[in-house]
Amino acid sequence: MHMDNQQMVESESARQNCYQAFARCYHLPTQSLKKDLQVLQKDLGRTGSEALPYLNDMILEMKQIPLDVLSVDFTRLFVGPYSLPAPPYGSVYLENERKVMGDSTMTVLRFYRRFGLDIAEGLKEVPDHITIELEFMYFLIYKEIESILSNDLESSQLYIKEQLSFLADHLDVWAPQFTGNIIEFSGTEFYRNLGKATRLFIKEDCLYLNNVCKKAALK
């Protein structure tokens, strides 16, 4: 593999891993969360993200807080059954009536289907749940890396453009308000720091993709 390509694959793999690990942080916490945090810590370091200190704090907090305390805070913030302080659905922030499965959800679903993806049968979450949108970014980077490894420059550039489009036109539009709610209403420093780290990483990645597209005149 050409050295430039190898470096590109390594840096894009770090971004890819970050998105997947962030997605897993928005699942109900289990013991496996420790491993996800370690992956995220390593790969945020590789990307040079300023979100790394928040991750370091989360890892320390997880050693000190019982898992059931985190589970209670997670459920209260994101699941219910009562009113949710931080609903993890894009449509709640993008639709005037704060509803789930609105027009913006259909827009996201069309985005997925354009790449041959559909929400797995039996999956309880709606298409614009934060975990699914973060996993979609993981998928787009995976396809970009696949194209780089095949020396298919045109396809790799297409996937970079699609990543920027999805972030700038969708995820980064609602993530600031969503993560702001986590920061404001979290009962634990753990989830407060997750909100800060998520918001900062998405913002940084949007800027990164903007710069890549400008340099390659992809816009």
Side-chain angles (χ1 to χ4, degrees), residues 76-142:
R76 187 184 60 82
L77 284 167
F78 308 124
V79 182
Y82 308 109
S83 61
L84 296 184
Y89 311 101
S91 55
V92 172
Y93 304 92
L94 300 171
E95 309 278 338
N96 290 331
E97 295 119 19
R98 278 177 66 90
K99 62 182 180 181
V100 177
M101 290 299 287
D103 293 342
S104 60
T105 315
M106 296 303 110
T107 301
V108 171
L109 204 49
R110 282 194 292 273
F111 227 114
Y112 300 163
R113 285 175 176 161
R114 208 165 77 234
F115 293 94
L117 296 174
D118 216 333
I119 302 303
E121 279 186 37
L123 190 69
K124 294 176 184 174
E125 298 305 349
V126 294
D128 62 349
H129 190 282
I130 184 66
T131 57
I132 296 176
E133 295 204 4
L134 291 168
E135 287 278 6
F136 181 58
M137 283 297 296
Y138 166 89
F139 167 79
L140 290 176
I141 301 168
Y142 170 84

Side-chain angles (χ1 to χ4, degrees), residues 61 65 69-70 73 76-77 186-193:
E61 284 151 17
I65 303 174
V69 173
L70 288 184
D73 200 30
R76 187 184 60 82
L77 284 167
S186 173
T188 58
E189 282 301 313
F190 181 89
Y191 281 110
R192 194 166 289 118
N193 281 317

Side-chain angles (χ1 to χ4, degrees), residues 137-184:
M137 283 297 296
Y138 166 89
F139 167 79
L140 290 176
I141 301 168
Y142 170 84
K143 296 300 286 184
E144 176 205 343
I145 291 170
E146 202 174 55
S147 302
I148 294 168
L149 292 171
S150 303
N151 290 313
D152 185 350
L153 180 63
E154 191 176 333
S155 293
S156 70
Q157 291 181 338
L158 166 73
Y159 286 114
I160 288 170
K161 282 171 68 177
E162 294 291 357
Q163 290 166 46
L164 178 59
S165 174
F166 189 71
L167 281 187
D169 298 341
H170 189 73
L171 183 53
D172 194 38
V173 180
W174 70 273
Q177 194 180 345
F178 165 62
T179 52
N181 286 350
I182 300 173
I183 295 161
E184 183 176 353

